[in-house]
Amino acid sequence: MKSFYGTQLPNPLMLGTAQYPSPAILEHAFRQSGASVATVSLRREGAGGAGASFWKMIQDLGVLILPNTAGCHTVKEAVTTAHMAREVFDTKWIKLELIGHTDSLQPDVFQLVEAAKILTEDGFEVFPYTTEDLIVGERLLAAGCEVLMPWGAPIGSGRGLNNPYALRAMRAEFPDVPLVVDAGIGLPSHASHAMELGYDAVLLNTAVARAGDPVAMARAMMAAIEAGLLAHQADPIEARDMAEASTPIIGKAFLS
């Protein structure tokens, strides 16, 4: 597995912290998932009051923290939020979200590249939430990003991998870059598929937080990601249009 800005993840699952029915369920789901990274939103969790108790709970999980700029629509908003997050969460990591389309929550890739360049020059280690576009990927890497996080489908949609062809092409185009499928995961099979394509991690939130049983779904996601990773490492067979007999003809007995 590839490292993320020099950090090796013990588990390729990154799990969000929003929308859980209660803090206790969030904590239990995290522990059952084995996730090694928690994504947190500065806009949702303040630094004081209830936000302070939330932050203490996340710290007690002993996982890596990936603050995000969720809800930002301009470069200025994203950069300001990133600087505040670095102060609150004491990390150079930032998941850079810059939303360009209200309904689909598709990232504004033009502003994304601009903000990524500013933040990397300011010493941040940027995890950009992007599309599966190869040119955008090249621009983000040129801006200083060392990780790419293409979406699987719109945030919270649960549709899985809308464009496996493009995700496969991105993996082939950037073989040495850590890649994370971020957003759109709804089922364990979706997470497994991402790992089977050779991705290095999966980031999800809604699929666990909004499940009828978040703790059980967290366990299922952990198992699926492990299965997908093992399948990729096992070098699976290619799909075929025609059947291929598992029993060879040569050496088969013929009765006259």
Side-chain angles (χ1 to χ4, degrees):
M1 296 293 293
K2 298 179 181 66
S3 65
F4 293 79
Y5 292 101
T7 299
Q8 191 77 38
L9 301 185
N11 184 303
L13 175 58
M14 302 179 177
L15 191 56
T17 55
Q19 304 184 68
Y20 289 81
S22 71
I25 291 176
L26 187 162
E27 181 179 5
H28 195 189
F30 245 93
R31 296 192 185 281
Q32 290 297 309
S33 74
S36 55
V37 176
T39 62
V40 294
S41 172
L42 182 69
R43 287 180 164 231
R44 294 192 183 98
E45 311 300 339
S53 61
F54 166 84
W55 177 219
K56 177 65 166 57
M57 181 190 67
I58 297 300
Q59 286 179 306
D60 289 344
L61 291 174
V63 298
L64 296 162
I65 306 300
L66 178 60
N68 65 49
T69 61
C72 292
H73 293 263
T74 68
V75 171
K76 183 178 180 180
E77 280 184 313
V79 170
T80 300
T81 301
H83 278 275
M84 293 172 64
R86 183 162 63 180
E87 293 298 319
V88 172
F89 300 114
D90 190 28
T91 178
K92 294 187 290 185
W93 281 15
I94 190 73
K95 177 188 170 186
L96 181 58
E97 290 185 32
L98 252 166
I99 301 304
H101 189 265
T102 303
D103 292 333
S104 68
L105 300 181
Q106 180 170 332
D108 182 332
V109 296
F110 304 101
Q111 292 198 92
L112 184 68
V113 172
E114 182 182 348
K117 188 174 188 300
I118 293 170
L119 291 173
T120 54
E121 289 176 349
D122 285 344
F124 285 88
E125 295 173 341
V126 179
F127 292 66
Y129 165 61
T130 183
T131 64
E132 63 276 74
D133 187 284
L134 299 182
I135 306 304
V136 175
E138 289 177 350
R139 298 291 173 86
L140 287 167
L141 295 175
C145 298
E146 297 181 14
V147 176
L148 297 175
M149 302 179 68
W151 64 347
I155 294 171
S157 67
R159 295 182 58 85
L161 308 187
N162 271 354
N163 196 341
Y165 169 81
L167 292 171
R168 190 179 295 111
M170 179 168 270
R171 177 72 284 173
E173 181 71 15
F174 306 115
D176 300 322
V177 176
L179 299 181
V180 182
V181 169
D182 176 13
I185 300 296
L187 295 170
S189 57
H190 300 157
S192 183
H193 190 189
M195 299 304 294
E196 289 168 11
L197 291 177
Y199 276 69
D200 300 291
V202 172
L203 194 159
L204 57 92
N205 187 163
T206 309
V208 169
R210 299 291 295 274
D213 186 340
V215 176
M217 185 59 77
R219 289 199 301 267
M221 288 296 181
M222 176 185 66
I225 286 175
E226 181 181 8
L229 175 60
L230 290 173
H232 175 72
Q233 293 172 341
D235 190 16
I237 64 172
E238 295 289 337
R240 294 169 54 91
D241 291 329
M242 300 293 291
E244 180 180 7
S246 57
T247 303
I249 299 298
I250 299 174
K252 181 179 179 181
F254 289 92
L255 300 179
S256 58

